[in-house]
Amino acid sequence: MKIILMGPPGSGKGTQASHIAGIVGVDSVSSGDLFRDNLSKNTELGLLAKSFMEKGEYVPDDVTIDMVMNWIEEPKHSAGFVIDGFPRTLKQAKALDEKLLESGGVDRVVFFDVPEEDLVRRLSGRLICSSCQTPFHKMFSPPKEENCCDNCGDVLYQREDDRPDVVRNRLHVYTRETEPVVDYFEKVGNLRRIDASLAINKVRESLEEVVR
Ligand code: AP5
Ligand code: MG
C-alpha cells in the first residue's frame, strides 16, 4: 500500500502519518522531517535546505526528489509506505509516478482540507520534539508533561518557520506550487479529500476510512 498525505502547512499531515502507517503496517516519512534531520546533523543537504525553509520557500526539486527517492529505494520500503509532504510540485509528482510505474503506482492520495484561519492557529501554537519530530499543540494537543515529548521524552521547541511572516509565505507558495498537484491527482482519480478541520480523533477515523 503506497499512500501520500497532501495538504497545506499545518493541516495535520504529521499528526496522522505515523498512526495510519502503523495501521497499514508500513513506514512513514515526511520530506520536511528529512530536511530537519539533515540540518540537525549539519549535512550539506541540511544547510542547503535551511536557506529555503527559513524563508518558507520550497527546496529545489532535484535535491528533494533525490532525497525522497533514496528513502523509497530502501528495501524495507518496497512493500509500501506513507509519505507526508511529497510530491509538492508537478515535477516531483511526475518523478514519483515514473518511479512507481512498475510497482502499480500510488494507491491513495489523501488531501487534508482545512480553512486558512485554522492553519494559522495551529501553526502559531505548535511545538515539535527535537528528536523524533512528533508534533504537539499548546491547546489542541498538549503534551502530558510540559515541554516534554510523550513519545520519546525529549524537549519540545517551536519551529523557526512557524513565525507569522514565514507562515504567510508558506501558504502562498503552497497555493502557487502545490494546488496544481492536487488537481493533477484528482484527474488521475486516486485522490480522496477528508475534512481535516475536525478534532484529531475524527480526522484519524476519516483517514482510516479512505485508506480502507
Ligand atoms: P514540512 O515540515 O512538511 O511543513 P508543511 O508542509 O508546511 O507542513 P507542516 O509540517 O507545517 O504541517 P502538518 O500538515 O504536518 O501539520 P501538523 O500535523 O504538524 O516542510 C517544511 C519545509 O520543508 C517546507 O516549507 C519546504 O521548505 C521544505 N519541504 C518539505 N517538503 C518539500 C518538498 N516536497 N518540496 C520542496 N520543499 C519541501 O499539525 C500542525 C499543528 O496542528 C500541530 O500543532 C498539531 O498538534 C495541530 N493539529 C493537527 N491536527 C489537528 C486537528 N485535527 N485539530 C487541531 N489541531 C491539530
Ligand atoms: Mg509536518
Side-chain angles (χ1 to χ4, degrees):
M1 189 87 179
K2 303 183 200 76
I3 300 167
I4 302 294
L5 306 184
M6 287 190 83
S11 55
K13 306 179 295 292
T15 299
Q16 304 292 346
S18 57
H19 171 78
I20 198 67
I23 289 202
V24 176
V26 295
D27 284 348
S28 67
V29 73
S30 144
S31 42
D33 287 354
L34 288 180
F35 286 131
R36 280 182 292 275
D37 271 345
N38 270 279
L39 182 57
S40 70
K41 292 174 190 141
N42 267 320
T43 68
E44 210 176 305
L45 173 62
L47 294 172
L48 172 81
K50 180 176 188 274
S51 63
F52 293 91
M53 292 167 83
E54 65 192 5
K55 292 185 283 211
E57 297 290 328
Y58 284 173
V59 180
D61 278 333
D62 50 352
V63 288
T64 305
I65 291 169
D66 278 355
M67 176 183 74
V68 177
M69 294 308 165
N70 284 338
W71 186 90
I72 290 177
E73 278 165 15
E74 286 176 36
K76 61 181 174 178
H77 303 141
S78 62
F81 46 72
V82 174
I83 304 183
D84 145 15
F86 179 95
R88 281 183 212 218
T89 64
L90 285 171
K91 195 167 172 195
Q92 293 176 17
K94 285 171 186 161
L96 183 67
D97 276 352
E98 211 166 289
K99 177 89 195 164
L100 301 180
L101 204 60
E102 282 174 12
S103 59
V106 173
D107 295 292
R108 184 66 81 228
V109 180
V110 185
F111 177 75
F112 284 54
D113 205 356
V114 180
E116 190 164 317
E117 59 271 24
D118 290 3
L119 299 173
V120 173
R121 245 196 316 271
R122 288 184 185 185
L123 293 174
S124 63
R126 171 165 63 184
L127 297 168
I128 72 164
C129 175
S130 45
S131 291
C132 69
Q133 306 210 40
T134 300
F136 296 87
H137 192 281
K138 290 174 188 168
M139 281 170 64
F140 307 136
S141 175
K144 292 191 183 97
E145 207 180 306
E146 199 179 341
N147 236 24
C148 188
C149 176
D150 292 357
N151 195 32
C152 73
D154 218 327
V155 67
L156 307 181
Y157 76 102
Q158 228 161 350
R159 268 169 54 176
E160 284 279 324
D161 61 347
D162 282 346
R163 290 201 325 263
D165 55 323
V166 186
V167 165
R168 262 196 303 279
N169 194 42
R170 283 164 65 199
L171 292 168
H172 174 73
V173 171
Y174 167 81
T175 304
R176 189 186 67 214
E177 301 288 338
T178 307
E179 282 187 355
V181 184
V182 178
D183 295 342
Y184 171 84
F185 283 120
E186 204 139 46
K187 283 192 190 112
V188 171
N190 56 3
L191 184 127
R192 297 289 178 277
R193 290 174 184 268
I194 59 171
D195 181 356
S197 69
L198 302 174
I200 292 175
N201 60 335
K202 294 282 170 206
V203 177
R204 183 169 295 175
E205 284 169 20
S206 311
L207 181 59
E208 285 176 20
E209 215 163 284
V210 295
V211 164
R212 215 177 282 133

